């Protein structure tokens, strides 16, 4: 009887541990708190959300459900343009099969990245950086926000050359929030 009860308790503890194992309790593998992502604010007031700092979900069977998510703080109110920055080999065709979906609070943007601005990327030669405007969002109050990107181009944070993704010529690298000035 005692062995059966102990077996049930051990099984329950294992189930609880497995259920919580995917989220790391809000901590990354190094143990640092990832509840608020590091966001770089550029000199023009733009906010740079790097894929390396995002919480990633990759679904090998359904890559169109791949997700990157950031929790961060915004101190300035106003309208921000939302840009996707991709590393690509082919500037004429970024090869996004599906539109990219961005959720920001209760707002949703959806669009097909086209590469509105193309520039060489000195860090990842011979690749190019293709920046695509997806729309704009309005931030009413300073505070803590969550931004989620859903796209098959959300891949683990590795360089395109080292990725080992045969046939992949484009990956999502950053999301940029650019303030609109009057």
């Amino acid at each position: 009887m005692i062995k059966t009860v102990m077996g049930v308790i051990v099984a329950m503890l294992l189930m609880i541990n497995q259920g919580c194992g995917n989220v790391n309790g809000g901590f990354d593998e190094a143990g640092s708190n990832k509840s608020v992502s590091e966001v770089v604010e550029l000199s023009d007031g733009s906010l740079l959300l790097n894929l390396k700092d995002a919480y990633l979900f990759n679904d090998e069977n359904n890559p169109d459900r791949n997700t990157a998510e950031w929790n961060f703080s915004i101190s300035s109110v106003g309208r921000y343009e939302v840009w996707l920055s991709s590393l690509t080999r082919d500037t004429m065709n970024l090869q996004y099969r599906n539109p990219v979906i961005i959720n920001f609070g209760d707002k949703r943007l959806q669009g097909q990245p086209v590469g509105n601005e193309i520039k060489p990327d000195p860090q990842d030669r011979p690749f190019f950086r293709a920046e695509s405007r997806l729309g704009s969002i309005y931030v009413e109050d300073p505070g803590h926000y969550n931004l989620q990107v859903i796209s098959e181009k959300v891949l683990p944070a590795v360089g395109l050359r080292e990725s080992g993704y045969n046939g992949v010529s484009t990956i999502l690298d950053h999301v940029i929030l650019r303030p609109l000035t009057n």
Side-chain angles (χ1 to χ4, degrees):
M1 177 77 172
I2 293 177
K3 287 183 180 180
T4 305
V5 171
M6 290 300 288
V8 170
I9 291 172
V10 169
M12 289 174 57
L13 288 174
L14 286 173
M15 287 178 15
I16 291 170
N17 187 36
Q18 289 294 329
C20 296
N22 292 343
V23 294
N24 284 332
F27 292 86
D28 65 8
E29 290 177 12
S32 63
N33 191 338
K34 296 285 265 187
S35 62
V36 177
S37 300
E38 289 185 34
V39 175
V40 176
E41 186 169 347
L42 304 177
S43 60
D44 65 356
S46 296
L47 300 171
L48 186 66
L49 306 172
N50 192 328
L51 209 65
K52 290 185 281 189
D53 297 325
Y55 172 79
L56 298 178
F57 171 77
N58 292 103
D59 187 341
E60 291 180 16
N61 296 325
N62 297 307
D64 55 320
R65 293 182 4 182
N66 287 355
T67 304
E69 195 166 331
W70 295 266
N71 292 310
F72 59 98
S73 295
I74 295 180
S75 58
S76 300
V77 299
R79 183 157 298 278
Y80 289 81
E81 284 187 323
V82 179
W83 289 76
L84 298 179
S85 184
S86 304
L87 290 177
T88 186
R89 293 181 178 130
D90 184 356
T91 60
M92 298 300 289
N93 181 3
L94 299 183
Q95 299 180 8
Y96 279 81
R97 288 188 321 239
N98 300 307
V100 174
I101 298 168
I102 293 185
N103 295 309
F104 183 82
D106 61 350
K107 298 160 186 82
R108 178 183 172 122
L109 297 175
Q110 184 170 332
Q112 193 72 29
V114 295
N116 301 86
E117 297 177 7
I118 306 290
K119 45 191 145 188
D121 190 307
Q123 296 175 346
D124 280 313
R125 284 184 211 179
F127 303 103
F128 293 88
R129 185 164 298 281
E131 293 184 355
S132 304
R133 185 183 183 280
L134 231 57
S136 68
I137 54 173
Y138 185 73
V139 175
E140 296 176 16
D141 298 308
H144 185 74
Y145 289 91
N146 177 277
L147 187 137
Q148 178 189 59
V149 176
I150 303 169
S151 172
E152 80 273 4
K153 298 300 181 182
V154 171
L155 298 172
V158 293
L160 189 57
R161 265 178 277 157
E162 298 88 16
S163 68
Y165 295 101
N166 296 331
V168 173
S169 65
T170 302
I171 61 170
L172 181 64
D173 192 43
H174 291 90
V175 175
I176 305 166
L177 302 178
R178 294 181 181 161
L180 290 173
T181 57
N182 295 335

